[in-house]
Amino acid sequence: MAGAWLCVAATMVVLLAFALSTTVECRTRNYKFNVVMTNTTKLCKSKPIVTVNGRFPGPTIVAREDDTVTVKVVNHVKYNVSIHWHGIRQLRTGWADGPAYITQCPIQPGGVYVYKFTLTGQRGTLWWHAHVLWLRATVHGSIVILPKLGVPYPFPKPNKEVVVVLGEWWKSDTEAVINQAQKSGQAPNVSDAHTINGNPGPMPSCLANGGFKLPVDEGKTYMLRIINAALNEELFFRIANHKLTVVEVDAVYVKPFTTDTILIAPGQTTNALITASQKAGKYLMAVSPFMDAPIAVDNLTATASLRYSGVLTSTAMKLVAPPPQNATPVANAFMNSLRSLNSKTYPANVPLTVDHSLFFTIGLGINACPTCVNGSRVVASINNVTFVMPTTALLQAHYFNISGVFTDDFPSKPLMPFNYTGSQLTSFSTNTGTKLYRLAYNSTVQLVLQDTGILTPESHPIHLHGFNFFVVGRGIGNFNPNKDPKNFNLVDPVERNTVGVPTGGWTAIRFKADNPGVWFMHCHLEVHTTWGLKMAFVVDNGKGPNESVIPPPSDLPKC
Ligand code: C2O
């Protein structure tokens, strides 16, 4: 509320000064999202897809830090829908966070819900996506949060900014893909293409398109706001003959560093500057998968092009080879380069003490399934718990004290420790439950995420709703609680909302539970979320006046 009053006060000051209303610093930005079935001839796809306002990728939300955003979502399709504003902190406004059955019941066919939230303490690129079923494959778009009026970027202002949304495309209907997989108990088909702003570039099987083109002028600088909206694949991004200077990830500024390859996991965003410093020409942009475990991925490279003004149509494209699919060193080099800016204006407030020290194993498992192809199904779990989605939204159950929806006994560490990344792997079948972990308001949390080798080790991009966290350490093999914390970076670790836990390794994060509500945490590989690699934190209200969940809006959907 304090924010709102400041906003009103600022508005009044501006009005008294007879300034134009467009200079009012914080204001409300209203959007309308019609969720519809859309026919697309692009990409040789015959069936209509679910989109927002008929667009793929969907519309961009542009707002400033401190603005309030409202989005009226109208569901015109046959599926249940909910929209998540990925990375927006949603301070006390969990009702607007979006994950179906976690913070709200989904918007049913024909239903309407207005999401309302304020952009507090964040600026940069984030994104929105459907958070139910596999609808986010086609229901997603970018969120651009500009700094407060008059506040510069902490790097030279680019001449132009361009949103670059990376995605994954299936020729068949994605709901059919996952339903079929769930029936059989096996992994779903990999995608048929990667896309750059909705376009894979020329493909042998599809003549309908020529790929996304980014026009540039010689000597000018561009900021690419890159988003990985793919369902299941971490991606490499490269541009022929051009270096990329990374300046922000997940809407937090970083110490700028220059690289020729960006690694971006599903859920993550990366702002990078490029200067059109080359001879006028055409330069290939390549997006390819990163996978360093024996797991099938879509190995097609999506392409787009950078085109200098004045270049002749006959000019040959300068090519670039994507990194090898299993290029772990390229991935590591990128991740190890990320550091918080940690300046006076943008400090890294890393929690230095720990109230809750948590150790979560993340990985796969196999459970019995009499009706499945092999009599078993692939599942996933955290601390051997395969999360079961409730039928009442957890935030309602918490807020209104409805019992029987969840328990708050999520284990803080594995109940049966084992050699997590060794070859002798004991526990294959998992337990099921709707278990949450309870945190007191403002308590500090250290969470070590440990990959397991059950079935196969694999890199997992873990996303936490409602918070940013600091990535204080990472390593290969089993986390060693005696040795590894000595090497934690508590000074300028990168701050983000989604982190890749390395294949057969671990990542340690820290955050402060300063946002009351129920907050989902899950692997952002959609197939793993479906399989149960998810849990939630319940953060109790604090005692102060602005430390509790606000009452739910009157149009909150019912289950
Ligand atoms: Cu981007 Cu829970 O999701």
Side-chain angles (χ1 to χ4, degrees):
M1 286 299 106
W5 280 110
L6 280 177
C7 196
V8 170
T11 308
M12 284 174 18
V13 169
V14 169
L15 290 177
L16 284 173
F18 300 103
L20 290 171
S21 61
T22 50
T23 62
V24 172
E25 188 167 332
C26 39
R27 55 181 186 175
T28 301
R29 317 253 179 169
N30 304 308
Y31 286 83
K32 182 159 181 203
F33 279 18
N34 281 309
V35 181
V36 291
M37 297 306 295
T38 304
N39 273 305
T40 168
T41 51
K42 262 205 274 185
L43 305 155
C44 312
K45 184 142 173 153
S46 51
K47 293 232 174 71
I49 58 171
V50 186
T51 68
V52 164
N53 300 349
R55 293 169 58 187
F56 175 72
T60 298
I61 288 181
V62 184
R64 266 183 206 288
E65 186 180 341
D66 285 345
D67 283 355
T68 293
V69 175
T70 76
V71 186
K72 180 178 183 180
V73 177
V74 187
N75 182 2
H76 298 280
V77 301
K78 64 177 180 186
Y79 303 106
N80 280 340
V81 166
S82 74
I83 307 279
H84 169 49
W85 319 92
H86 181 117
I88 306 266
R89 295 267 341 254
Q90 301 290 5
L91 292 163
R92 306 170 58 212
T93 55
W95 310 108
D97 191 39
Y101 303 106
I102 305 295
T103 56
Q104 69 166 98
C105 299
I107 308 166
Q108 292 173 14
V112 183
Y113 180 44
V114 181
Y115 290 87
K116 185 174 181 195
F117 49 88
T118 299
L119 304 170
T120 307
Q122 295 182 285
R123 70 302 294 172
T125 306
L126 292 171
W127 65 301
W128 56 266
H129 60 80
H131 211 308
V132 61
L133 309 171
W134 269 29
L135 294 182
R136 78 172 177 84
T138 55
V139 179
H140 61 246
S142 51
I143 302 176
V144 172
I145 311 172
L146 301 167
K148 293 181 209 180
L149 209 65
V151 175
Y153 292 131
F155 46 82
K157 188 178 178 339
N159 296 93
K160 208 178 161 202
E161 302 182 3
V162 185
V163 170
V164 179
V165 181
L166 313 181
E168 256 183 298
W169 184 268
W170 278 257
K171 273 191 187 152
S172 31
D173 176 62
T174 32
E175 291 310 314
V177 170
I178 185 56
N179 288 340
Q180 143 69 20
Q182 283 298 84
K183 238 180 159 172
S184 73
Q186 294 175 320
N189 292 341
V190 298
S191 53
D192 297 302
H194 296 109
T195 54
I196 303 173
N197 283 342
N199 202 317
M203 287 203 302
S205 58
C206 185
L207 303 170
N209 59 79
F212 169 69
K213 295 179 186 69
L214 172 59
V216 298
D217 293 329
E218 218 175 311
K220 292 206 168 139
T221 299
Y222 298 80
M223 182 158 78
L224 308 184
R225 295 176 176 270
I226 308 166
I227 297 163
N228 186 347
L231 283 195
N232 296 321
E233 289 177 11
E234 299 191 41
L235 297 169
F236 286 125
F237 177 93
R238 268 186 184 171
I239 303 176
N241 298 40
H242 290 76
K243 294 247 184 253
L244 298 141
T245 301
V246 177
V247 291
E248 177 222 300
V249 295
D250 295 5
V252 184
Y253 296 129
V254 297
K255 289 197 176 75
F257 68 95
T258 299
T259 176
D260 52 20
T261 310
I262 282 173
L263 172 71
I264 187 164
Q268 296 182 329
T269 56
T270 302
N271 283 7
L273 303 173
I274 55 160
T275 301
S277 56
Q278 299 297 303
K279 276 221 289 296
K282 296 179 195 164
Y283 297 86
L284 196 75
M285 208 182 269
V287 169
S288 62
F290 165 53
M291 172 54 78
D292 59 357
I295 289 177
V297 287
D298 165 7
N299 60 10
L300 285 182
T301 299
T303 58
S305 60
L306 206 69
R307 302 207 169 200
Y308 282 67
S309 54
V311 70
L312 298 172
T313 29
S314 58
T315 305
M317 180 92 72
K318 290 263 194 319
L319 301 178
V320 66
Q325 187 180 299
N326 61 355
T328 312
V330 178
N332 279 341
F334 183 82
M335 281 189 276
N336 291 336
S337 302
L338 291 168
R339 293 270 185 285
S340 276
L341 184 60
N342 193 25
S343 65
K344 224 172 167 184
T345 325
Y346 303 101
N349 294 316
V350 190
L352 298 177
T353 57
V354 173
D355 298 321
H356 298 262
S357 182
L358 308 179
F359 183 83
F360 287 3
T361 58
I362 52 175
L364 306 182
I366 291 196
N367 287 355
C369 168
T371 59
C372 294
V373 173
N374 296 328
S376 65
R377 67 162 63 253
V378 183
V379 293
S381 71
I382 304 180
N383 277 353
N384 217 42
V385 181
T386 293
F387 189 86
V388 176
M389 279 312 229
T391 49
T392 301
L394 298 175
L395 184 57
Q396 273 109 318
H398 166 61
Y399 189 87
F400 294 110
N401 265 312
I402 307 168
S403 63
V405 179
F406 67 84
T407 54
D408 63 0
D409 56 349
F410 192 89
S412 64
K413 57 180 195 295
L415 297 179
M416 295 211 315
F418 60 101
N419 181 3
Y420 308 110
T421 54
S423 49
Q424 303 287 304
L425 295 170
T426 48
S427 64
F428 274 82
S429 71
T430 64
N431 302 314
T432 52
T434 308
K435 295 176 188 293
L436 275 58
Y437 190 91
R438 190 175 291 277
L439 296 169
Y441 183 81
N442 259 349
S443 58
T444 52
V445 181
Q446 173 175 296
L447 169 56
V448 176
L449 296 156
Q450 171 75 59
D451 184 29
T452 77
I454 296 174
L455 291 191
T456 170
E458 182 177 357
S459 164
H460 295 278
I462 300 294
H463 172 46
L464 176 61
H465 288 229
F467 303 93
N468 285 339
F469 49 75
F470 293 93
V471 184
V472 296
R474 60 192 290 272
I476 298 302
N478 295 342
F479 173 72
N480 182 330
N482 302 319
K483 277 201 199 131
D484 289 323
K486 295 193 180 107
N487 299 320
F488 283 177
N489 176 1
L490 302 178
V491 178
D492 62 352
V494 66
E495 178 184 348
R496 56 190 327 171
N497 63 55
T498 306
V499 68
V501 176
T503 301
W506 57 271
T507 294
I509 63 173
R510 283 192 184 185
F511 66 96
K512 188 175 185 186
D514 58 356
N515 193 7
V518 174
W519 304 107
F520 207 14
M521 188 177 80
H522 59 92
C523 180
H524 218 286
L525 305 183
E526 202 57 36
V527 57
H528 292 171
T529 310
T530 306
W531 285 347
L533 213 170
K534 51 195 173 189
M535 57 82 67
F537 289 99
V538 50
V539 180
D540 286 322
N541 288 335
K543 298 213 171 62
N546 295 317
E547 299 178 350
S548 47
V549 178
I550 64 162
S554 56
D555 62 341
L556 186 73
K558 295 195 171 54
C559 284

